Amino acid sequence: MKEIIRENIRAPYSLHDMNIIAFEAEGDHLTLRTQSGMCKTTRPYGQPQGHVEFSGVQWDFSWVYLLDHAGNAGTFTGEKMELQEFIRRFGTFGFCVMDEAYGYNSTKYSGYLTANRRFYECMVEIYHEEDMIFVDETEYSGMAEVILSHDSEAVLYSVPAEVAGDLERYCLEFAGSWVWNGPENYKFLKPTRSGQLGARFGAEDFIDYLNRWEFPDRPSGKVRGLGCWDYEIPEEYKDRPQFNF
């Protein structure tokens, strides 16, 4: 018997409990504006200002469902309409998102809609053949501290603030793309005993990558070793963004 795990999609931002106040459509591009930004789901957690964009929206397959029943169970009546029709009909509204679901070329939001002095349960289906983009409008400057390790001692580093603000994405792009496909991949790729190609790298390589390729004008550097493993971080440092390669 073969068992395959379908991993959960872990989006770096969420609109949970956010209030969408506008769907802005231009061609096949759609922008969702919220009243108070987005929830950041990776450290450092927060609620930055921002919005969500969809490219390649297929309007013929994008729908809104409005239910006149706002309870946990029972019969209901409602209406299904094209998303474009919803945008035309509802100029002013508040759509409080309770849940998000991501499928193949599709994104769904469900929650509660307040519009025209009425209250609905609402589900929005967006079918998009191109990317969904979270736009974090935070303006970064200066340096910030992060904790990096590679199954070794946890080390405190100083890095550009935007790296600290989105540390997991920067680390995964380095480990998943640059190490394998970058112009210096020969430094990391080595054959294993079985003859397969493997990669060896760590936190120091990531810092070198930031200094020479991403932020040469704002060099990152080691602050101090913390004398512990990544799961033993002292309380005074637990608010720092952290990544273990």
Side-chain angles (χ1 to χ4, degrees), residues 37-149:
M38 307 178 296
C39 294
K40 195 169 185 298
T41 61
T42 58
R43 289 188 296 182
Y45 305 111
Q47 189 173 321
Q49 288 298 316
H51 59 274
V52 180
E53 298 181 0
F54 297 90
S55 299
V57 175
Q58 297 295 297
W59 298 108
D60 291 343
F61 302 101
S62 299
W63 302 93
V64 174
Y65 301 80
L66 296 180
L67 308 181
D68 294 323
H69 174 72
N72 291 325
T75 59
F76 58 85
T77 60
E79 181 180 2
K80 175 182 178 180
M81 68 185 76
E82 292 182 346
L83 178 54
Q84 283 184 313
E85 174 64 16
F86 172 84
I87 294 172
R88 285 191 292 266
R89 282 175 50 183
F90 293 84
T92 302
F93 63 88
F95 175 34
C96 185
V97 176
M98 293 288 103
D99 197 16
E100 302 154 280
Y102 304 104
Y104 179 73
N105 284 356
S106 67
T107 300
K108 297 181 182 181
Y109 296 103
S110 60
Y112 298 99
L113 179 83
T114 303
N116 301 329
R117 297 185 178 181
R118 297 188 64 180
F119 186 67
Y120 306 89
E121 285 194 26
C122 178
M123 183 169 69
V124 177
E125 296 181 347
I126 304 168
Y127 189 89
H128 49 101
E129 293 186 333
E130 298 177 25
D131 293 332
M132 173 188 185
I133 302 172
F134 295 99
V135 181
D136 187 332
E137 298 170 1
T138 303
E139 294 186 5
Y140 295 100
S141 62
M143 308 293 285
E145 291 181 339
V146 300
I147 299 172
L148 299 175
S149 55

Side-chain angles (χ1 to χ4, degrees), residues 20 25 27 29 34 61 63 71-73 100 107 163 176 208 218 220 224 232 243:
I20 298 175
H29 191 86
T34 68
F61 302 101
W63 302 93
N72 291 325
E100 302 154 280
T107 300
V163 176
D208 180 66
R218 283 183 288 161
S220 302
R224 69 179 66 87
E232 301 172 326
F243 192 88

Side-chain angles (χ1 to χ4, degrees), residues 165-238:
D166 203 1
L167 182 63
E168 183 171 318
R169 180 178 67 84
Y170 276 95
C171 290
L172 291 178
E173 286 181 356
F174 168 73
S177 180
W178 177 267
V179 164
W180 295 91
N181 305 306
E184 296 184 335
N185 61 355
Y186 61 88
K187 294 168 54 177
F188 311 112
L189 304 184
K190 307 293 181 184
T192 64
R193 291 181 179 179
S194 64
Q196 294 181 325
L197 197 62
R200 297 184 64 180
F201 57 91
E204 294 90 347
D205 299 304
F206 175 66
I207 295 299
D208 180 66
Y209 157 75
L210 292 178
N211 287 339
R212 295 199 297 117
W213 296 92
E214 290 290 333
F215 299 94
D217 56 330
R218 283 183 288 161
S220 302
K222 179 178 178 179
V223 178
R224 69 179 66 87
L226 298 183
C228 62
W229 296 92
D230 63 288
Y231 52 84
E232 301 172 326
I233 302 301
E235 193 66 34
E236 62 184 299
Y237 295 110
K238 284 189 175 179

Side-chain angles (χ1 to χ4, degrees), residues 12-29:
Y13 295 88
S14 171
L15 298 189
H16 179 69
D17 276 349
M18 298 296 100
N19 191 37
I20 298 175
I21 56 175
F23 290 83
E24 300 173 357
E26 184 175 350
D28 65 353
H29 191 86

